[in-house]
Amino acid sequence: MPENANIEQISFLGLAKQNLRKLSMFIMLGLILLVFAVLTNGVNLTPRNITNIFIQNSYILILAVGMVLVIIIGNIDLSVGSVVAFSGALSAMLYNTGIGLIPTLLLSLLIGAAIGVFQGFWIAFVGIPAFITTLAGMLFFRGLTYIITNVSPISLRDDGFKKIASGSLNIPGFTIGSMDGLSIVVMVIAVVLLVFFTLRQRRKQISNGFSVLPLRYTILKVASLSALIIFVFLRFAAYRGIPTVGLVLFIVTAIFVFLTNNTVIGRYIYAVGGNAKSAKLSGINSEQVVFITHIIMGVLCGLSGVVFTAYMNSALPQAGNQFELDAIASCYIGGAAASGGIGTIIGAITGGLVMGVINNGMSLMNIGADWQYVVKASILLLAVFYDIWSRRKSGLG
Amino acid sequence: MSNDEYILEVKNLTKDFPGVRALDSVDFKVRRGEIHCLVGENGAGKSTLMNVVSGVLPRSEYEGVVVFKGKETNYRSTRDSEQDGLSIIHQELTLSPYLSIYENIFLGHMKTRFGIIDWDTCLKDSYPLLKRVGLREPPQTIVSKMSVGKQQLVEIARAISRNAELLIFDEPTSSLNDEESENLLNLIREFKKEGITCIMISHKLDEVLAVADSITILRDGLSVASYDLTKAPVSQQQIIKGMVGRELKNLFPKKEPDIGDVVFEVKGWTVHHPDYHDMKIVDDASFFVRKGEIISFCGPMGAGRTELMMSIFGNSYGYGASGEIHLHNKRVTFKNPKDAIEQGVGYVSEDRKSLGLILIQDVKTNITNSSLPKLSKRGILNKNLMRNKAEEYKESLQIKTPSLEQLVRNLSGGNQQKVVLSRSLLADPDIFIVDEPTRGIDVGAKYEIYSILNDMVKQGKSVIVVSSELAEAISMSDRIYVMNEGKIKGVLDRSEATQERIMHMALVD
């Protein structure tokens, strides 16, 4: 370590206090998992159930990733549920022509992109508020779904499609003990990469003279993240291996975490959402940024449509009903601000998992949808209340 | 304590805003039935004084006494003062644009029968009011379809419909043409005959001298002089002297001009109001700036300076802009701000909170927002470079912030201004337009901002400053363009510029 290393002196409590707001949703997710572990005698933490939580919520989480970008830019998208149904139905029809899985997936993404172009055009260039445009889109694409499906389910020609949602990644015969071998290998690689990149980044920051946290906190952070990875992958390994949809989700999350943090367009989204007028005078083409954001949302709707069709093993005309509300709630639970400019991908994913874990836990306890709505609504209000309250207290809001 | 001669008496009034004393033990007396004009430079405290008198600022917000009609006032809002017979007609019209004339007149005090609005009576009662203010339009007309001058008459009709005894006009002619202005002044004279007292705030001294019975001059929050024109006449020179007569201290860094050829020239620039397309906000403005030169634009509020600059900067203001821009002797057009920045023009807005900064983002992000394409490769940001650049500007402009991750909303005004300047400087403009760069910041920070501008011209760039502080403009710039009513009224060289001459050029010629 060079001698001029600029290490911040801070106590553990001070650091925890500083980051309480950022960490609060992870803490909430952890608490909810624990509460249900007690209530269900640990059933919700079983390998099978952990895998199910990922599979059952994957299509909402994918939507939440797009939705949080739309919310950051200061808009909203009410059409996502209908677009999921529409692209899901089209993907089933495409697959049934026998073109194969990968072409079906790519075409579905393209259909989503085209829908994003259509809606983004009205929002960004014509100036119709997103709320109205996507309200129209919600009705429009629901109607189109009914028309192309004749209001009856489309079943798939074979089981190949289903694998996107319920399949697992594994190498036949490769097991370690009674566990899936591939999961264990990926887990080890993930932890090694995490340690390597964290240390490399820290070294880079020090050599650039930036101030960094003391090493023990970096170790603490890496240790807790590693523990999380090990926990999840051991559950996967003990059941059927890494679910395919988990990989899809990981790729989507990784792409958009990178996009929001490390690319020009990502920072433009935050700038336009933070203050559109100021962004424009800073030389940012706000209309174009809004347009692109809605295209991204469209592509992710296309992906979500494919995953949902795979999950149901058929395309339903009623698919995606109220998905927009779950996606929007995920973003707000995950700390996005309704006024725009604030929000993160990881936050939206965590928010979506909070809702998913509650749904799952209550289902395990045989509590019906009626009470699930009530509890989910309360969590939404409480989470946003905490966010606003803590923001005001720390002078951010 | 009542004195029947005066309808309004303000005694020993002091009003502080955070960091600024807007009014400092001001005394102000208005006789019953007179036309009293209130004059002073921008920021002298005229509007604040009127806000206190009319209850926009409630009793708890100021120290001192306001006596209206012999009674000390205790207004909580303008609603109270209007009920008391005191109405203010603001510079910015406050009509509801999509309602009709008569709906606007009776808004907030509709004629009702058993709690139900009696629109017929409202309509009937509006005719004599419109006749009194001389507005010949059917009362059902939607106000946004009328010119600003006519809208103002509606506002006045609204005030007299509440039996106002004292009318306050805040720069009533600033957005009117000559004929409309003349009509308005006549209307004010009519009101005087009817026994209504009027206070008029104005920048136009010829108008002031044409109608005033008394004149009070404010300067830097102090009431410096009061003249009774019924006893002795007053000259424009006397008034101007009173308005600007402060000493110039050593508030400005020294500048050694090294001026080259013309690099940026605007010819015949005209732009219209964004909503009222037939109203010219900037009218045939032409100017140029040379390499290494600082030029200033002076003139009263509403002269069209900001609008001129924003409309040049990639059509950021107004409707139907026309005219030519020449950059380095080449005719150019700026479709949008992005275009202008890419061609080497920077603009820093006067309204740093809503047009300059992104308050919820941190210092580093704000500084780099204009330059991300330069700080990235194939769309992927170079975060270390971003940090280094932000650090570099934090050091060179001495931005006082605990860290680059601090949200800009938590910085002081002067430091926020430095962040906006950094953002523009990082984009490396040849022509740098700064709009009111020192508004609302303290003297020390002002000096630093001036030094930054001086450094820029030393590097061979050109700076255009829009300034409402004459002392600042005179000390900082090589040439001063004087604007009023959308037109460039003239240009003065550094050597010939005095505050009196600028004021004279703007208001009299």
Side-chain angles (χ1 to χ4, degrees):
Chain A
M1 204 180 287
E3 276 173 34
N4 61 350
N6 197 349
I7 294 176
E8 278 177 48
Q9 292 310 318
I10 187 164
S11 73
F12 179 75
L13 266 178
L15 187 71
K17 220 169 150 185
Q18 255 181 34
N19 290 294
L20 187 64
R21 262 180 50 74
K22 265 198 227 157
L23 295 175
S24 60
M25 54 200 168
F26 301 111
I27 295 171
M28 179 161 68
L29 179 59
L31 281 179
I32 289 172
L33 267 173
L34 283 181
V35 167
F36 280 108
V38 172
L39 291 175
T40 62
N41 293 321
V43 176
N44 76 325
L45 295 181
T46 57
R48 184 187 142 92
N49 195 54
I50 290 287
T51 307
N52 275 344
I53 289 177
F54 276 94
I55 294 176
Q56 283 166 0
N57 292 292
S58 52
Y59 40 90
I60 295 291
L61 296 178
I62 291 167
L63 290 177
V65 168
M67 188 65 79
V68 76
L69 298 180
V70 172
I71 286 176
I72 291 169
I73 209 156
N75 285 344
I76 197 93
D77 193 336
L78 300 176
S79 71
V80 295
S82 299
V83 177
V84 163
F86 183 66
S87 58
L90 278 180
S91 70
M93 293 162 99
L94 285 167
Y95 185 71
N96 284 346
T97 61
I99 57 172
L101 193 56
I102 299 295
T104 303
L105 180 65
L106 293 179
L107 280 173
S108 301
L109 298 185
L110 213 60
I111 290 162
I115 292 171
V117 167
F118 173 73
Q119 298 201 110
F121 167 77
W122 294 108
I123 295 164
F125 299 121
V126 184
I128 299 179
F131 189 94
I132 297 168
T133 307
T134 59
L135 182 61
M138 175 177 168
L139 303 172
F140 187 76
F141 293 106
R142 181 63 65 191
L144 284 187
T145 310
Y146 287 164
I147 291 168
I148 60 169
T149 59
N150 272 327
V151 205
S152 53
I154 302 173
S155 38
L156 298 164
R157 56 185 272 160
D158 56 46
D159 277 354
F161 202 116
K162 197 170 93 174
K163 287 197 188 111
I164 296 180
S166 48
S168 310
L169 301 169
N170 36 32
I171 302 164
F174 178 37
T175 54
I176 298 174
S178 62
M179 304 257 218
D180 168 58
L182 187 65
S183 309
I184 306 281
V185 171
V186 172
M187 175 185 87
V188 172
I189 293 174
V191 170
V192 169
L193 285 180
L194 176 71
V195 172
F196 174 75
F197 278 110
T198 310
L199 290 180
R200 199 181 76 149
Q201 195 197 5
R202 188 166 189 276
R203 221 172 19 235
K204 226 171 163 183
Q205 284 178 338
I206 290 171
S207 70
N208 277 313
F210 303 156
S211 61
V212 292
L213 290 172
L215 191 61
R216 58 181 186 280
Y217 296 127
T218 312
I219 292 173
L220 184 70
K221 189 178 156 193
V222 171
S224 36
L225 275 175
S226 305
L228 188 68
I229 293 173
I230 292 168
F231 170 75
V232 171
F233 276 87
L234 283 182
R235 299 284 123 167
F236 287 159
Y239 188 47
R240 286 197 299 219
I242 302 169
T244 318
V245 77
L247 178 72
V248 173
L249 207 53
F250 174 77
I251 293 172
V252 168
T253 309
I255 288 176
F256 285 98
V257 166
F258 184 79
L259 181 114
T260 48
N261 288 325
N262 294 296
T263 66
V264 174
I265 178 71
R267 299 320 303 177
Y268 279 178
I269 290 173
Y270 281 97
V272 172
N275 184 344
K277 282 186 200 155
S278 163
K280 188 140 195 165
L281 282 178
S282 307
I284 295 169
N285 192 339
S286 325
E287 290 88 0
Q288 210 172 16
V289 175
V290 172
F291 184 59
I292 291 171
T293 307
H294 282 276
I295 296 176
I296 292 173
M297 180 80 252
V299 172
L300 289 172
C301 284
L303 178 62
S304 179
V306 172
V307 171
F308 190 65
T309 299
Y311 174 65
M312 301 305 283
N313 202 17
S314 67
L316 305 173
Q318 270 302 346
N321 198 17
Q322 295 195 358
F323 280 13
E324 59 281 348
L325 303 182
D326 280 341
I328 293 167
S330 305
C331 298
Y332 290 141
I333 291 175
S339 50
I342 296 173
T344 58
I345 301 293
I346 295 295
I349 293 278
T350 313
L353 283 175
V354 164
M355 304 247 294
V357 169
I358 293 172
N359 276 344
N360 171 273
M362 292 181 79
S363 300
L364 291 177
M365 292 167 67
N366 283 323
I367 298 172
D370 41 3
W371 281 105
Q372 291 188 21
Y373 278 128
V374 174
V375 171
K376 262 164 39 179
S378 313
I379 293 287
L380 174 64
L381 269 183
L382 273 178
V384 177
F385 165 74
Y386 172 77
D387 196 52
I388 289 173
W389 175 76
S390 62
R391 219 177 277 250
R392 207 172 286 157
K393 223 177 71 173
S394 58
L396 304 172
Chain B
M1 65 194 289
S2 151
N3 182 338
D4 218 32
E5 192 189 349
Y6 296 107
I7 190 168
L8 177 75
E9 286 178 88
V10 173
K11 291 174 198 156
N12 209 13
L13 179 71
T14 298
K15 165 72 192 160
D16 286 311
F17 287 111
V20 199
R21 175 153 287 193
L23 294 172
D24 192 356
S25 29
V26 165
D27 290 311
F28 179 58
K29 287 180 175 178
V30 181
R31 275 173 310 185
R32 198 176 284 278
E34 71 168 348
I35 300 175
H36 196 121
C37 288
L38 190 58
V39 296
E41 277 193 285
N42 298 332
K46 297 167 302 209
S47 295
T48 311
L49 177 57
M50 290 305 109
N51 285 342
V52 167
V53 167
S54 62
V56 173
L57 294 165
R59 180 69 191 85
S60 53
E61 302 256 319
Y62 59 88
E63 291 162 42
V65 181
V66 179
V67 179
F68 181 57
K69 295 195 290 186
K71 247 181 28 233
E72 189 179 339
T73 62
N74 184 16
Y75 301 137
R76 273 155 303 171
S77 69
T78 49
R79 208 183 158 78
D80 292 351
S81 63
E82 280 176 351
Q83 239 151 31
D84 226 2
L86 190 160
S87 281
I88 183 162
I89 288 127
H90 287 280
Q91 202 175 347
E92 302 285 327
L93 298 180
T94 53
L95 298 174
S96 185
Y98 303 115
L99 296 183
S100 66
I101 293 177
Y102 74 101
E103 283 172 304
N104 262 296
I105 290 178
F106 292 106
L107 203 62
H109 65 142
M110 289 102 165
K111 312 273 174 187
T112 55
R113 285 172 72 184
F114 315 115
I116 295 161
I117 299 173
D118 183 355
W119 285 120
D120 289 344
T121 308
C122 289
L123 181 60
K124 193 162 64 79
D125 289 356
S126 68
Y127 285 103
L129 290 170
L130 293 185
K131 196 164 169 221
R132 241 174 110 186
V133 300
L135 178 60
R136 280 186 295 272
E137 287 281 346
Q140 295 90 342
T141 314
I142 301 298
V143 296
S144 63
K145 300 211 165 126
M146 302 190 300
S147 70
V148 178
K150 286 180 177 173
Q151 291 190 26
Q152 195 161 42
L153 294 177
V154 175
E155 191 121 349
I156 297 169
R158 189 180 137 125
I160 57 174
S161 75
R162 303 183 188 207
N163 302 318
E165 292 172 60
L166 174 62
L167 284 176
I168 301 170
F169 295 88
D170 190 353
E171 304 209 25
T173 59
S174 62
S175 43
L176 302 186
N177 62 30
D178 289 350
E179 196 193 331
E180 288 172 327
S181 300
E182 193 48 48
N183 288 340
L184 185 80
L185 297 181
N186 283 332
L187 186 60
I188 292 177
R189 291 192 188 99
E190 281 301 310
F191 285 147
K192 181 184 162 184
K193 278 187 210 150
E194 294 170 22
I196 299 174
T197 314
C198 295
I199 298 175
M200 184 170 95
I201 299 177
S202 181
H203 273 301
K204 299 181 184 167
L205 297 188
D206 46 349
E207 288 177 0
V208 168
L209 288 172
V211 297
D213 297 313
S214 305
I215 297 175
T216 295
I217 302 174
L218 289 186
R219 186 177 73 220
D220 294 339
L222 298 163
S223 40
V224 290
S226 239
Y227 300 103
D228 184 347
L229 277 74
T230 56
K231 294 200 179 116
V234 157
S235 73
Q236 285 193 348
Q237 291 311 322
Q238 267 175 295
I239 300 174
I240 291 177
K241 188 117 192 140
M243 284 164 70
V244 300
R246 88 183 83 134
E247 288 176 76
L248 267 186
K249 291 172 222 132
N250 187 18
L251 295 169
F252 305 96
K254 232 174 129 70
K255 175 173 181 295
E256 288 126 30
D258 175 19
I259 295 171
D261 297 331
V262 173
V263 285
F264 186 71
E265 187 166 12
V266 171
K267 290 180 185 164
W269 199 265
T270 299
V271 68
H272 299 259
H273 192 279
D275 300 326
Y276 309 105
H277 293 178
D278 54 353
M279 196 167 128
K280 279 183 187 170
I281 297 296
V282 175
D283 190 359
D284 196 23
S286 300
F287 66 92
F288 63 88
V289 59
R290 292 169 292 188
K291 189 173 156 82
E293 189 180 40
I294 297 182
I295 62 169
S296 286
F297 279 77
C298 293
M301 300 275 188
R305 296 166 297 158
T306 296
E307 292 81 355
L308 168 64
M309 295 309 159
M310 284 190 66
S311 115
I312 291 171
F313 187 67
N315 291 318
S316 303
Y317 168 86
Y319 168 83
S322 61
E324 292 180 14
I325 305 173
H326 295 259
L327 182 61
H328 303 298
N329 293 319
K330 256 191 7 229
R331 173 102 191 256
V332 291
T333 51
F334 303 138
K335 269 202 326 273
N336 50 33
K338 182 171 182 255
D339 226 17
I341 291 172
E342 279 168 1
Q343 299 189 50
V345 178
Y347 172 75
V348 169
S349 165
E350 60 172 338
D351 187 351
R352 62 175 166 265
K353 287 204 168 136
S354 66
L355 297 179
L357 295 162
I358 299 176
L359 291 170
I360 55 172
Q361 295 192 337
D362 61 23
V363 173
K364 182 182 65 188
T365 313
N366 268 286
I367 291 178
T368 51
N369 264 340
S370 273
S371 316
L372 294 184
K374 278 201 304 198
L375 302 172
S376 60
K377 229 187 202 167
R378 280 183 237 106
I380 293 166
L381 296 169
N382 183 339
K383 291 206 146 183
N384 283 330
L385 187 60
M386 280 169 76
R387 230 199 128 84
N388 287 336
K389 285 289 172 192
E391 190 72 43
E392 191 184 310
Y393 278 94
K394 182 193 153 199
E395 294 296 317
S396 67
L397 267 59
Q398 296 173 28
I399 301 171
K400 286 185 202 73
T401 171
S403 77
L404 288 174
E405 280 74 32
Q406 179 74 359
L407 300 187
V408 288
R409 67 186 305 157
N410 298 330
L411 301 188
S412 73
N415 284 306
Q416 288 185 344
Q417 187 66 15
K418 288 182 192 171
V419 171
V420 189
L421 287 172
S422 304
R423 192 193 71 209
S424 265
L425 293 176
L426 182 53
D428 197 25
D430 296 328
I431 314 296
F432 193 43
I433 308 172
V434 277
D435 201 343
E436 304 285 3
T438 60
R439 174 178 289 172
I441 66 182
D442 62 72
V443 181
K446 276 185 185 177
Y447 189 91
E448 290 175 307
I449 303 264
Y450 299 138
S451 305
I452 294 164
L453 298 181
N454 273 348
D455 285 346
M456 290 206 62
V457 291
K458 243 184 246 164
Q459 294 162 24
K461 301 174 182 241
S462 310
V463 176
I464 301 172
V465 185
V466 173
S467 177
S468 290
E469 285 191 38
L470 296 182
E472 166 180 301
I474 291 169
S475 313
M476 285 303 298
S477 29
D478 301 301
R479 283 180 305 127
I480 296 166
Y481 284 92
V482 181
M483 275 188 90
N484 198 9
E485 295 162 23
K487 296 191 178 78
I488 293 186
K489 305 279 254 190
V491 54
L492 291 165
D493 229 55
R494 182 194 188 82
S495 54
E496 52 182 0
T498 61
Q499 300 200 30
E500 282 82 1
R501 283 191 77 159
I502 294 173
M503 202 68 110
H504 200 270
M505 197 176 246
L507 303 182
V508 185
D509 291 346

